[in-house]
């Protein structure tokens, strides 16, 4: 199952632009977990 993650108003993109690449990769990893995993562990 693949979920869609929506962002509104450009706030998330503006926030990501302030972060360095390493932190951005961690956030994208977490979002990928949300998209593809049925159960997410802590």
């Amino acid at each position: 199952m693949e979920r869609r993650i929506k962002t509104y108003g450009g706030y998330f993109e503006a926030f990501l632009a302030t972060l360095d690449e390493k932190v951005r990769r961690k956030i994208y990893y977490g979002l990928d977990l949300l998209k593809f995993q049925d159960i997410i562990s802590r």
Side-chain angles (χ1 to χ4, degrees), residues 2-23:
E2 182 178 340
R3 296 175 181 89
R4 288 188 66 193
I5 298 173
K6 296 181 182 181
T7 62
Y8 296 98
Y11 300 112
F12 182 71
E13 290 81 6
F15 169 69
L16 281 180
T18 65
L19 302 174
D20 62 33
E21 184 62 31
K22 185 177 178 182
V23 176

Side-chain angles (χ1 to χ4, degrees), residues 5 25-35 40:
I5 298 173
R25 275 189 267 137
K26 288 181 182 182
I27 290 176
Y28 283 129
Y29 174 74
L31 291 175
D32 281 342
L33 288 177
L34 287 173
K35 283 173 62 175
I40 300 172

